[in-house]
Amino acid sequence: MATLKYSRQRESIKDFLMTRHDHPTADVVYENMKLIYPHISLGTVYRNLSLLADIGEIKKLASFDGADRFDGRTDRHCHFMCTKCHCIVDMDTLDFDHILGDANSSFKGEITDCTARFFGVCENCLKESKK
Amino acid sequence: MATLKYSRQRESIKDFLMTRHDHPTADVVYENMKLIYPHISLGTVYRNLSLLADIGEIKKLASFDGADRFDGRTDRHCHFMCTKCHCIVDMDTLDFDHILGDANSSFKGEITDCTARFFGVCENCLKESKK
DNA sequence: TTGGGTGCAAATCTTTTGCAGGTGT
DNA sequence: ACACCTGCAAAAGATTTGCACCCAA
């Protein structure tokens, strides 16, 4: 098993994700990293995002609409995506333990995880449409 | 707004999806359509899958692991994916109305839909690992 | 006849990977 | 020094699209 070695790039990527709560795509991370490391490569960004996700320091959100997104928040929570502006926001209303218990009780395999996504119109777009 | 015109290919794609409950990818649909229409193109398959999803006759399941998958079942239900064999099976244990109600009550926008996915080990893989 | 549908191929977008050189330990 | 990490560029995989021809209404 490979030993992890420090890398400025990886550290910056993680720091960046901790400050953003809009679930950026790899490309957005890349654009922002270029401000710090003008020669950083997209490959490096992807490699580090995968690595960080593998060791559980960030979470990868499989494609909502096209590219994968990354989340600096790693505790279990769910997401809402606005079908108008495509923003993605965190939600904490779901009782995962209860749902997982329910699901497992009637399932012959073994369920260990669950993701949930809500869709609709966000507060801002709702205001817009009422004008 | 475009008027829909009959097409044998589209009809066959829909029929095919109604008989399959393993949520095939576009490529699997393509391979199977080639048995009927040897000259059908991948583009036609994608175009019709999108079209059918747009008019609500099938559902598109955004990437579980790579390619999108398609589901002939259009009523609200959720999915389980085995982390070992990557099979995807339907699940009906989730009380969507209740969850949507809960979610909406504490949300300032308007939530209209929800998807949920479970992950773990399926019955078959569980048996295998116990051998 | 006419506008949607098709096959084909090229293009696009996202992500991965091979390689040679750089760097943390 | 050794193994991991990086930049660069090419490759791979999934999906979309332009175009000329075909076909349902």
Side-chain angles (χ1 to χ4, degrees), chain A residues 33-52:
Chain A
M33 286 306 104
K34 276 205 286 195
L35 302 176
I36 311 177
Y37 311 101
H39 294 289
I40 196 172
S41 78
L42 192 51
T44 295
V45 171
Y46 271 104
R47 269 186 292 239
N48 279 309
L49 287 170
S50 290
L51 199 162
L52 288 167

Side-chain angles (χ1 to χ4, degrees), chain B residues 50-68:
Chain B
S50 290
L51 198 161
L52 288 167
D54 285 347
I55 61 178
E57 303 211 349
I58 65 172
K59 282 224 171 187
K60 180 197 265 199
L61 312 181
S63 95
F64 271 92
D65 59 334
D68 288 346

Side-chain angles (χ1 to χ4, degrees), chain A residues 97-126:
Chain A
D97 289 336
H98 180 236
I99 286 175
L100 280 174
D102 267 14
N104 256 314
S105 68
S106 58
F107 190 70
K108 286 175 184 152
E110 187 176 74
I111 296 173
T112 52
D113 201 10
C114 167
T115 66
R117 292 172 177 183
F118 293 93
F119 300 89
V121 184
C122 73
E123 189 180 4
N124 286 337
C125 288
L126 209 53

Side-chain angles (χ1 to χ4, degrees), chain A residues 1 5 7 11 15 18 26 38 43 62 67 73 76 79 82 84 86 88 91 101 110-112 119-120 131:
Chain A
M1 171 161 171
K5 210 171 274 190
S7 118
E11 209 59 20
D15 287 348
M18 301 307 274
R73 197 180 146 190
R76 195 143 62 193
H79 298 99
C82 176
K84 291 204 172 176
H86 299 97
I88 295 183
M91 293 193 65
E110 187 176 74
I111 296 173
T112 52
F119 300 89
K131 278 180 182 168

Side-chain angles (χ1 to χ4, degrees), chain B residues 5-6 42-43 46-47 50 67-68:
Chain B
K5 207 172 277 189
Y6 173 83
L42 193 51
Y46 272 104
R47 269 185 293 239
S50 290
D68 288 346

